[in-house]
Amino acid sequence: MAWKGNLDRLAIRVNLRRRKVDITLVMCPFCDEYEESVDHLFTACTVAIRVWVAVISWSNIPPIFAFEYKDLMDIQNSIQVGKKAKKIILGLVIISGWCVWKGRNELVFNQIKRSSQDIMVEIKSRGYGWVKSRSSGKYISWKEWCKYPMYML
């Protein structure tokens, strides 16, 4: 999903219309204020903005200034942290993008509306599983992870 998003190849409504798919609705399913493009869905939509604010607050990283999806995929390079922290930040960005995409698809295909808080709960859960499975030491605590994901550095 991250790779396709970076190439602007996700099946987003504007991209579907551009490919001559007969689509009647092109507005963002979350906010219904702007056309749904990759950049809007992941960086400008009010739901995505709330998710990024929550991720920043939770992980205690500097504010994210992303105007395009590509900016999100490069965010770890603009933060002065160690190599391990950069990997965690990139992983959290990719997981966050996936959870926003999943929330969007649940709304479009199943009419299940997820709030930014719901999406954040999933980000913490998926992020914990990802870090725990990739960590050489299996010492990562769920309780500590939920407070601050960089605690193990």
Side-chain angles (χ1 to χ4, degrees):
M1 194 273 331
W3 175 71
K4 280 189 167 192
N6 212 26
L7 296 173
D8 195 18
R9 297 289 187 254
L10 287 173
I12 296 280
R13 292 173 173 180
V14 169
N15 289 349
L16 293 172
R17 183 180 61 189
R18 189 178 324 133
R19 294 178 192 141
K20 308 294 185 219
V21 173
D22 186 22
I23 186 164
T24 55
L25 299 172
V26 293
M27 300 305 278
C28 174
F30 281 137
C31 69
D32 200 32
E33 295 177 15
Y34 298 95
E35 289 187 344
E36 182 191 47
S37 66
V38 170
D39 292 335
H40 170 76
L41 182 68
F42 293 101
T43 65
C45 177
T46 53
V47 171
I49 290 170
R50 282 189 229 118
V51 167
W52 295 121
V53 167
V55 169
I56 289 165
S57 175
W58 170 55
S59 59
N60 198 27
I61 61 173
I64 295 174
F65 296 103
F67 301 99
E68 297 178 348
Y69 187 85
K70 292 176 185 200
D71 296 338
L72 292 172
M73 294 296 104
D74 199 38
I75 202 70
Q76 78 283 356
N77 293 324
S78 64
I79 300 172
Q80 300 298 319
V81 291
K83 190 175 179 179
K84 191 173 180 182
K86 286 184 184 219
K87 283 184 178 182
I88 293 172
I89 291 167
L90 178 59
L92 289 175
V93 167
I94 291 170
I95 289 167
S96 299
W98 168 253
C99 291
V100 168
W101 179 244
K102 186 173 176 259
R104 176 259 189 213
N105 288 337
E106 287 175 340
L107 180 56
V108 169
F109 298 113
N110 301 323
Q111 292 71 51
I112 298 171
K113 189 165 183 125
R114 302 281 186 221
S115 68
S116 55
Q117 293 91 352
D118 295 335
I119 294 170
M120 194 61 206
V121 167
E122 186 168 1
I123 291 167
K124 287 180 179 181
S125 176
R126 288 183 182 274
Y128 176 76
W130 172 73
V131 169
K132 187 142 176 102
S133 70
R134 295 181 58 92
S135 176
S136 56
K138 305 296 183 200
Y139 59 90
I140 298 170
S141 156
W142 168 250
K143 187 176 177 181
E144 296 301 317
W145 172 261
C146 287
K147 289 181 191 173
Y148 175 61
M150 305 294 191
Y151 84 93
M152 79 290 280
L153 298 177

